[in-house]
Amino acid sequence: MIKAVMVMNTQGKSRLAKFYEYLSVEKQQELIRGFFQVLCSRAENVSNFIDAESIFGLDSRLVYKHFATLYFVFVFDSSENELAVLDLIQVFVETLDKCFQNVCELDIVFNYSKIHTILDEMVFGGQVVETSSSEIMKAVEEISKLEAASNAISLIPKSASGWRSR
Amino acid sequence: MGSQGGFYQSKEFLDLVKSIGEARSKAEEDRIVLNEIETLKRRISEPDIPKRKMKEYIIRLVYIEMLGHDASFGYIHAVKMTHDDSLLVKRTGYLAVTLFLNEDHDLIILIVNTIQKDLKSDNYLVVCAALNAVCKLINEETIPAVLPQVMELLAHPKEAVRKKAIMALHRFYQKSPSSVSHLVSNFRKRLCDNDPGVMGATLCPLFELIARDVNSYKDLVISFVSILKQVAERRLSKAYDCHQMPAPFIQIKLLKILALLGSGDKQASENMYTVVGDIFRKCDSSSNIGNAVLYECICCVSSIYPNPKLLESAADVISRFLKSDSHNLKYMGIDALGRLIKISPEIAEQHQLAVIDCLEDPDDTLKRKTFELLYKMTKSTNVEVIVDRMIDYMISISDNHYKTEIASRCVELAEQFAPSNQWFIQTMNRVFEHAGDLVNIKVAHSLMRLIAEGFGEDDDNADSKLRSSAVESYLRILGEPKLPSVFLQVICWVLGEYGTADGMFSASDITGKLCDVAEAYSNDETVKAYATTALMKIYAFEIAARRKVDMLPECQSLMEELLASHSTDLQQRAYELQAVIGLDAHAVECIMPSDASCEDIEVDRDLSFLNDYIQEAIEKGAQPYIPESERSGMLNISNFRNQDHHEASSHGLRFEAYELPKPAVQSRIPQALIASTEIVPVPEPMYPRESYQTTMPSIPSDAGSAELKLRLEGVQKKWGRPTYTPATSTSNSTSQKTVNGTSQGDGASTVSSMCETYDSRKPQVEVSHEKQKLAASLFGGSSKTEKRPATGHKAAKASSHMVEKSHVPKSSMEVASDKATSAQQPPDLLDLGEPTATSTALQLDPFKQLEGLLDTTEVASAVNGAPAASISPDIMALYVDTAAGIHNKNDADLLSGLSNPSVTNMPGTTAMPQVTQSSSKRPNPKDSLEKDALVRQMGVNPSSQNPNLFKDLLG
């Protein structure tokens, strides 16, 4: 199962942090710092895998991918396959790219809740549920459509009821 | 949808992000965030906040908490938001609570009711949001509250909901297996869901269930095999593809499940051979995800009942992985090799040079994986080289967790395979010196024991040689600064026992060193205690040998200090030392016999030496001793009597005398006597702790089973094997290559021909002498390198045979499988026409396509030829702006990120149609410019130190 998904920039600021098992805020920060230290000490052209047992506890591996100014980090246990998770990161980034057209760090900062929506469509309760970026896009677009609609509806009745009662 | 994506943002949030981005120090950032927290605290509790505003506040809170600050004051508002009717607000609320709260938080009680209601909602998005919260926030106690609703959702018309309901049920199972144990059959049922996505989701819980109890799922083997077969044959709709692989995560899960089910079960394994072989043959090996599936196949093959053909295919894939330039593939290759050598140890030999390359690679992850492999393949012939390497690496790293692990592995290997005791002691010295505080104290005890007992062979001469070499090495090591405490304890003990035994070193040499130790590590009491006892032994041996004892001045001052020590232990040892020095030679010989740590101690369990004393006591009128067995019976009786009596007379006066003191206490006394009145000669009778350590080695029978033990018999004493012949191996392999070239014509299988062409294309790299030598000592000779291509070729033939043979059973299998799963799969499964049509299109490699994108300038100018002309000055300006330092670096980053190194080997990577398509959809300088301008204006990008902060992620 996937234990955590993190996105942090090359200066160590976290841009997204989702832990599938509860950890206190302090512990989360400690882990993010720990991972960042390991990540930035790694040379280029080395493997994308790191043994995370010393930071995250027994049976945990880490796969990361570096895009421009961001590190995408997935932590998981032995029931997942490293290469497959690496590909999952690729899918995640491709989806973000489709969603924001030329995604950049700024998009991730400002569309915090949308990034979570996308991630929730891919990974649910620590298990991978969807790997096709176009399917994810479809689901996310439907969600934002319905959200917008429900917002409109919920705003109208209020004013309408106010108007009727007059 | 633009970058704002229709999601509402306020100016304030943008300002917050901006100012945090501009912060020059952590302190400044903290100040800004604390300010923001104050603002939010004030605003959020105002009455009648519009929903939009509220939603934004909550998102800001989430953001603040992500930065590591406390946002708990807003949790209750997030909980309130989940009650809202508006989907947008409700989802935000759920998002916030899943991030904020844990399953044991006090506020959960307020959410459970909402979740219950939302799980029944008509709107599937509300249901999904609630399910998401269920996964994170429901604990063992609250499971029953939502379980009925979740069960109902298993039959929901929307497949997305069914999928998530399965996952929620899986989560319940993880949290509390007993609460859902009666519902486990639902996972089996859902395996037959119409929707392959739901079927795929059920594999996750099934995998876990099967891992716990393999036998009750053996009946599903046929179904799993047929599902895997259909997935691998691309019978699923293209929507399940991921980078041109059909449903790879489903394939991987299935292969993992099959590996569990087929482990040690020949019959079940036989059902799997065909499908796994098919995947080996057909799987696309140029993409990450394809290789992930191939790796999973290897794991499966190495776990199920072995099949020679599959093992050969697996070995081929491994060699492809190891020869790849990608570190990721090498890593997987090493891992796979470690699995396969358990079944066919000989395959490691083909890859020895690749393994050594990985061992010397600068990549730490790869190195560690390789050490893991070496650990698995250690034998008595190569233990010296491997342990030596491990220790070198252990010294070079600073990660304590891994250091401990590798140190314990070194100890384990050294104990199992030590070629000689000399080597063992040297190895242990190195381990102790560099990781002494991290190894188990038992290891130190077994080292002392080894030195004391010698080899188990009756060769006193060799024993004393070993001891004097140990003493010599320890005296040398003592010169080093900062030694670990455990190691010092061993050193002190050995110096005390054997320091003066061979007469090479005088008592004043040794005692001087021991005093130095006690002084240098003056705040380590254990070491000081060991040193004091060692001093006492040295002096005792001197006295026993009738030599004149001169206490060194530093030793005297040490004793004075210890006599007044706060530690009673140290004090006692110092007094004992003083007492021993005052005794005559004969007495000292009795209490401190030389080299007697291994002598068996005679314990008189009957305590017969007390007979006279007891007799005397009985004559004086003492009670005779009653054995425990009789005594306990009496105790019970008297207890009964007492109870009865209590009930009867609880209100009256008690006329009975007071109870006798509990005999149980009495029974302990004789046992205590054993410890306190030892009269038998014991080497160090003065103190329980010390005597435990010294006597322990002498009683091997009771400690032996639990103790880490050195294997002393049947161990080879020689170094490595002398079989290596460097010159012949290279010449042989080149000649073999030409043979390959000619024989390649009839190699039918694509897999093997591919790896053969790879071989011939890649020139045989000149291998350095040392490497070969290392290889020889690790693998016992590199003379067999040329074996591989030959077997590869054989595999090709064999596998093509298998194709023909497998046609016959295939048809019958297919009937069975179709029958079994006709209900499970969507109609297009039976449509055989589609896959063939798509397969050609699917050959496109995503990475190849993306490669075209890497050179930004080229693509931009090629695709946007026309617009480029009109706004070219702007573009140029943009590039000039960034090109200087960043651009190159950035391109390099992207290159490493996007291009799969294995692809770069492929000749003729042309830009695929999809490239142009995606890049024409892709925007264009204008967009980028706007974005860039926004970034600049926002100033989120703080300074010149990192101007590429917001460079687009993908091209």
Side-chain angles (χ1 to χ4, degrees):
Chain A
M1 109 173 235
I2 292 174
K3 296 179 176 176
V5 176
M6 284 167 273
V7 179
M8 58 187 96
N9 73 4
T10 40
Q11 296 176 322
K13 279 223 173 77
S14 96
R15 292 300 180 207
L16 175 79
K18 201 166 178 111
F19 292 83
Y20 290 93
E21 265 155 11
Y22 178 78
L23 291 169
S24 68
V25 181
E26 297 80 41
K27 183 79 187 154
Q28 290 182 9
Q29 290 300 310
E30 192 188 316
L31 290 174
I32 291 170
R33 271 197 302 275
F35 285 136
F36 177 69
Q37 295 230 310
V38 178
L39 288 181
C40 59
S41 68
R42 287 184 62 86
E44 306 225 345
N45 295 325
V46 292
S47 62
N48 296 81
F49 314 137
I50 297 176
D51 174 29
E53 286 197 354
S54 58
I55 305 177
F56 211 92
L58 280 182
D59 190 19
S60 52
R61 303 135 181 232
L62 179 154
V63 167
Y64 73 99
K65 206 158 180 181
H66 186 177
F67 288 96
T69 59
L70 291 176
Y71 289 114
F72 287 78
V73 180
F74 279 55
V75 185
F76 51 92
D77 65 12
S78 57
S79 67
E80 306 287 335
N81 174 316
E82 280 102 333
L83 277 177
V85 174
L86 186 61
D87 210 68
L88 193 68
I89 297 182
Q90 183 73 31
V91 171
F92 184 39
V93 177
E94 278 170 19
T95 314
L96 293 181
D97 199 47
K98 275 188 193 165
C99 200
F100 298 111
Q101 295 170 4
N102 261 4
V103 63
C104 74
E105 193 178 338
L106 204 60
D107 293 322
I108 295 179
V109 177
F110 287 146
N111 296 287
Y112 196 68
S113 56
K114 187 162 189 179
I115 309 288
H116 274 287
T117 310
I118 293 172
L119 190 59
D120 283 345
E121 286 302 312
M122 287 177 72
V123 180
F124 187 87
Q127 304 287 350
V128 180
V129 287
E130 184 58 70
T131 53
S132 154
S133 60
S134 50
E135 293 295 310
I136 299 167
M137 277 300 290
K138 257 189 236 164
V140 172
E141 267 161 24
E142 200 171 339
I143 290 173
S144 33
K145 213 168 66 198
L146 283 172
E147 273 185 353
S150 87
N151 221 19
I153 293 163
S154 68
L155 289 176
I156 293 164
K158 235 186 195 171
S159 56
S161 62
W163 172 73
R164 258 181 225 151
S165 67
R166 221 179 273 164
Chain B
M1 224 183 286
S3 71
Q4 257 51 43
F7 283 71
Y8 175 77
Q9 328 276 349
S10 78
K11 174 105 177 33
E12 278 172 69
F13 183 59
L14 297 188
D15 285 346
L16 171 70
V17 174
K18 177 184 163 188
S19 56
I20 290 175
E22 275 172 346
R24 307 247 164 232
S25 64
K26 181 83 182 119
E28 193 180 340
E29 185 191 308
D30 285 347
R31 200 174 43 76
I32 294 166
V33 174
L34 288 177
N35 229 342
E36 168 75 9
I37 289 176
E38 283 311 310
T39 320
L40 282 176
K41 252 187 204 167
R42 210 175 46 242
R43 296 260 193 91
I44 212 163
S45 46
E46 280 169 12
D48 295 333
I49 309 168
K51 282 179 188 171
R52 283 195 155 204
K53 214 67 193 153
M54 197 63 198
K55 184 205 154 208
E56 193 212 310
Y57 291 154
I58 293 293
I59 293 289
R60 273 154 80 175
L61 278 179
V62 174
Y63 187 76
I64 285 167
E65 191 160 287
M66 185 186 69
L67 293 175
H69 296 267
D70 178 45
S72 52
F73 65 90
Y75 290 179
I76 185 71
H77 298 280
V79 172
K80 245 195 259 168
M81 282 181 81
T82 60
H83 306 328
D84 202 280
D85 298 328
S86 153
L87 178 66
L88 182 67
V89 176
K90 191 187 262 300
R91 280 180 52 90
T92 309
Y94 272 125
L95 171 67
V97 292
T98 52
L99 290 171
F100 284 150
L101 304 182
N102 67 330
E103 54 185 36
D104 301 321
H105 199 279
D106 296 338
L107 292 175
I108 295 296
I109 202 78
L110 298 175
I111 302 179
V112 172
N113 202 9
T114 319
I115 290 178
Q116 278 178 326
K117 209 174 72 211
D118 286 345
L119 285 175
K120 289 184 191 152
S121 165
D122 298 333
N123 188 337
Y124 82 99
L125 288 176
V126 172
V127 177
C128 284
L131 279 172
N132 208 354
V134 162
C135 277
K136 186 80 192 285
L137 301 177
I138 294 295
N139 67 9
E140 200 173 342
E141 287 152 36
T142 34
I143 284 174
V146 293
L147 193 56
Q149 284 90 333
V150 173
M151 291 307 296
E152 267 169 43
L153 291 176
L154 287 178
H156 196 275
K158 270 268 187 197
E159 67 277 352
V161 175
R162 290 203 299 272
K163 205 153 63 172
K164 290 178 180 179
I166 297 252
M167 291 302 188
L169 203 55
H170 177 201
R171 201 87 181 119
F172 294 162
Y173 179 74
Q174 282 177 331
K175 281 181 180 164
S176 156
S178 57
S179 65
V180 289
S181 54
H182 56 293
L183 302 168
V184 159
S185 60
N186 281 289
F187 293 134
R188 272 171 184 265
K189 254 185 247 159
R190 281 296 128 204
L191 195 60
C192 310
D193 198 281
N194 288 330
D195 183 76
V198 180
M199 183 274 296
T202 41
L203 295 176
C204 299
L206 280 173
F207 172 66
E208 224 157 278
L209 287 167
I210 292 171
R212 286 186 204 192
D213 174 21
V214 179
N215 288 327
S216 30
Y217 293 89
K218 292 279 186 192
D219 57 315
L220 287 178
V221 171
I222 301 286
S223 314
F224 285 135
V225 167
S226 71
I227 296 171
L228 179 58
K229 191 172 148 76
Q230 295 176 64
V231 173
E233 284 174 357
R234 299 184 174 281
R235 304 243 206 122
L236 296 186
S237 97
K238 268 183 84 181
Y240 294 97
D241 282 9
C242 171
H243 294 140
Q244 278 75 48
M245 273 297 286
F249 278 82
I250 292 182
Q251 288 195 45
I252 288 170
K253 267 274 143 39
L254 280 168
L255 284 165
K256 276 185 192 290
I257 289 174
L258 291 183
L260 289 176
L261 288 171
S263 170
D265 184 340
K266 191 172 181 201
Q267 204 192 342
S269 302
E270 272 165 0
N271 290 318
M272 306 167 190
Y273 291 155
T274 325
V275 67
V276 177
D278 281 352
I279 297 178
F280 263 130
R281 241 188 336 279
K282 284 189 203 154
C283 198
D284 166 28
S285 61
S286 60
S287 67
N288 263 338
I289 195 71
N291 286 323
V293 174
L294 281 175
Y295 165 79
E296 217 51 67
C297 283
I298 299 173
C299 295
C300 181
V301 165
S302 62
S303 164
I304 62 177
Y305 190 87
N307 170 297
K309 282 171 197 155
L310 289 181
L311 286 175
E312 268 177 34
S313 320
D316 282 346
V317 174
I318 289 178
S319 74
R320 195 143 31 87
F321 281 179
L322 287 175
K323 280 176 188 152
S324 144
D325 290 332
S326 154
H327 279 79
N328 292 342
L329 287 186
K330 279 186 189 166
Y331 175 91
M332 298 314 258
I334 293 280
D335 187 274
L337 193 59
R339 290 167 190 272
L340 213 58
I341 53 167
K342 277 185 233 147
I343 303 168
S344 44
E346 69 283 353
I347 73 154
E349 235 166 70
Q350 310 158 11
H351 303 299
Q352 41 185 304
L353 291 177
V355 170
I356 287 163
D357 276 340
C358 292
L359 199 59
E360 280 162 6
D361 200 277
D363 184 354
D364 227 32
T365 316
L366 189 55
K367 224 180 222 174
R368 289 183 188 187
K369 201 78 198 170
T370 315
F371 276 118
E372 215 178 295
L373 171 70
L374 291 182
Y375 169 72
K376 284 182 194 155
M377 51 182 261
T378 306
K379 293 174 288 205
S380 51
T381 49
N382 56 14
V383 63
E384 287 164 279
V385 192
I386 289 179
V387 172
D388 215 43
R389 285 255 157 182
M390 280 183 164
I391 295 178
D392 283 344
Y393 180 65
M394 183 188 81
I395 294 169
S396 72
I397 58 172
S398 56
D399 169 0
N400 268 352
H401 175 85
Y402 194 65
K403 221 173 187 169
T404 314
E405 191 181 313
I406 202 163
S408 64
R409 280 185 172 177
C410 285
V411 171
E412 189 188 323
L413 290 179
E415 289 187 334
Q416 249 182 350
F417 300 109
S420 73
N421 291 286
Q422 187 94 16
W423 177 85
F424 178 74
I425 287 179
Q426 276 169 4
T427 308
M428 286 297 111
N429 286 353
R430 286 186 75 198
V431 173
F432 275 121
E433 198 176 333
H434 298 285
D437 292 327
L438 303 171
V439 294
N440 195 324
I441 186 78
K442 273 188 187 163
V443 177
H445 294 161
S446 65
L447 176 61
M448 288 190 255
R449 176 174 157 181
L450 175 90
I451 294 174
E453 280 187 334
F455 309 125
E457 303 151 24
D458 288 325
D459 185 356
D460 285 343
N461 201 15
D463 282 5
S464 59
K465 231 189 236 164
L466 171 80
R467 287 167 191 161
S468 37
S469 80
V471 168
E472 210 175 321
S473 67
Y474 289 155
L475 285 176
R476 204 175 46 242
I477 288 168
L478 274 182
E480 312 260 326
K482 279 300 302 155
L483 291 171
S485 170
V486 179
F487 192 33
L488 285 167
Q489 292 166 26
V490 176
I491 291 178
C492 287
W493 187 84
V494 172
L495 287 183
E497 281 288 327
Y498 305 109
T500 54
D502 64 350
M504 230 166 52
F505 301 96
S506 73
S508 62
D509 288 344
I510 306 287
T511 48
K513 286 278 183 192
L514 287 170
C515 289
D516 289 348
V517 171
E519 206 171 320
Y521 300 89
S522 56
N523 38 17
D524 187 338
E525 285 191 2
T526 325
V527 171
K528 261 162 120 178
Y530 268 88
T532 316
T533 307
L535 282 173
M536 177 165 61
K537 283 187 212 160
I538 298 283
Y539 286 129
F541 298 155
E542 287 295 292
I543 295 169
R546 271 93 180 158
R547 278 193 286 262
K548 194 173 170 294
V549 177
D550 290 322
M551 227 182 188
L552 294 175
E554 62 253 46
C555 187
Q556 264 160 359
S557 63
L558 176 71
M559 280 314 119
E560 274 160 31
E561 182 205 321
L562 293 186
L563 284 173
S565 169
H566 286 297
S567 154
T568 48
D569 174 28
L570 288 177
Q571 225 179 39
Q572 175 164 358
R573 280 168 204 256
Y575 275 110
E576 278 165 357
L577 172 60
Q578 244 183 1
V580 168
I581 286 177
L583 293 172
D584 65 31
H586 183 72
V588 170
E589 233 168 29
C590 286
I591 53 169
M592 276 280 171
S594 133
D595 190 16
S597 62
C598 305
E599 301 297 309
D600 286 336
I601 301 166
E602 279 177 42
V603 177
D604 185 354
R605 286 185 178 276
D606 296 334
L607 308 177
S608 54
F609 54 89
L610 288 175
N611 284 349
D612 292 343
Y613 174 77
I614 293 168
Q615 198 59 42
E616 204 179 310
I618 290 177
E619 275 165 16
K620 280 184 185 162
Q623 291 278 321
Y625 174 72
I626 303 162
E628 197 178 356
S629 49
E630 294 169 32
R631 195 169 57 225
S632 59
M634 276 172 57
L635 180 73
N636 286 343
I637 293 164
S638 67
N639 270 351
F640 278 133
R641 238 207 0 241
N642 283 348
Q643 266 178 0
D644 290 347
H645 195 79
H646 269 300
E647 277 166 37
S649 66
S650 53
H651 297 293
L653 281 172
R654 278 183 68 178
F655 292 105
E656 203 154 285
Y658 284 112
E659 276 176 90
L660 290 169
K662 281 262 179 341
V665 181
Q666 266 175 5
S667 74
R668 297 252 164 73
I669 294 170
Q671 280 163 12
L673 276 178
I674 300 175
S676 60
T677 59
E678 275 168 324
I679 298 179
V680 276
V682 178
E684 277 136 348
M686 60 286 295
Y687 204 61
R689 180 147 56 114
E690 174 73 328
S691 74
Y692 159 68
Q693 273 152 5
T694 45
T695 54
M696 189 195 62
S698 62
I699 314 166
S701 58
D702 65 357
S705 57
E707 214 53 47
L708 302 163
K709 251 205 316 213
L710 180 67
R711 215 190 68 189
L712 297 165
E713 59 285 321
V715 175
Q716 227 175 336
K717 283 209 171 187
K718 293 278 173 247
W719 254 82
R721 259 170 42 197
T723 51
Y724 108 85
T725 44
T728 52
S729 79
T730 41
S731 65
N732 268 358
S733 56
T734 45
S735 68
Q736 185 66 33
K737 222 164 57 192
T738 53
V739 174
N740 276 346
T742 55
S743 65
Q744 211 180 311
D746 55 17
S749 158
T750 49
V751 177
S752 68
S753 73
M754 216 172 109
C755 81
E756 271 171 12
T757 48
Y758 185 86
D759 279 352
S760 51
R761 194 149 32 86
K762 193 171 180 175
Q764 193 78 22
V765 191
E766 201 57 50
V767 183
S768 76
H769 193 70
E770 289 98 76
K771 251 187 211 171
Q772 292 203 348
K773 206 164 158 185
L774 179 59
S777 44
L778 279 180
F779 298 86
S782 65
S783 52
K784 286 180 184 164
T785 30
E786 72 280 359
K787 211 169 126 194
R788 203 204 55 74
T791 53
H793 184 60
K794 215 167 74 190
K797 270 189 190 159
S799 54
S800 64
H801 267 297
M802 207 164 73
V803 179
E804 286 159 20
K805 256 197 280 175
S806 61
H807 271 309
V808 188
K810 212 186 198 173
S811 54
S812 61
M813 278 274 291
E814 204 149 54
V815 174
S817 67
D818 281 352
K819 221 194 285 173
T821 56
S822 54
Q824 308 165 13
Q825 307 295 345
D828 66 85
L829 275 186
L830 300 172
D831 185 359
L832 285 162
E834 201 199 17
T836 46
T838 54
S839 63
T840 48
L842 296 174
Q843 299 297 325
L844 303 179
D845 180 355
F847 293 110
K848 246 191 261 174
Q849 295 160 10
L850 287 167
E851 221 167 325
L853 286 173
L854 297 178
D855 194 342
T856 357
T857 45
E858 218 178 272
V859 173
S861 59
V863 176
N864 305 310
S870 53
I871 47 164
S872 62
D874 290 19
I875 302 176
M876 288 328 284
L878 172 66
Y879 283 130
V880 168
D881 250 359
T882 45
I886 334 118
H887 224 80
N888 298 338
K889 188 183 170 288
N890 235 26
D891 282 353
D893 287 353
L894 289 170
L895 211 131
S896 67
L898 281 176
S899 70
N900 185 331
S902 67
V903 176
T904 50
N905 290 336
M906 304 273 181
T909 39
T910 49
M912 295 289 166
Q914 223 171 314
V915 174
T916 47
Q917 181 206 335
S918 63
S919 44
S920 55
K921 169 220 107 174
R922 199 162 279 277
N924 352 14
K926 208 173 161 201
D927 265 341
S928 321
L929 274 177
E930 275 170 12
K931 211 172 238 184
D932 198 63
L934 175 63
V935 172
R936 262 157 229 285
Q937 170 222 325
M938 290 296 303
V940 186
N941 149 5
S943 59
S944 50
Q945 59 174 346
N946 192 358
N948 61 342
L949 191 61
F950 295 113
K951 190 77 194 77
D952 290 350
L953 288 179
L954 282 171

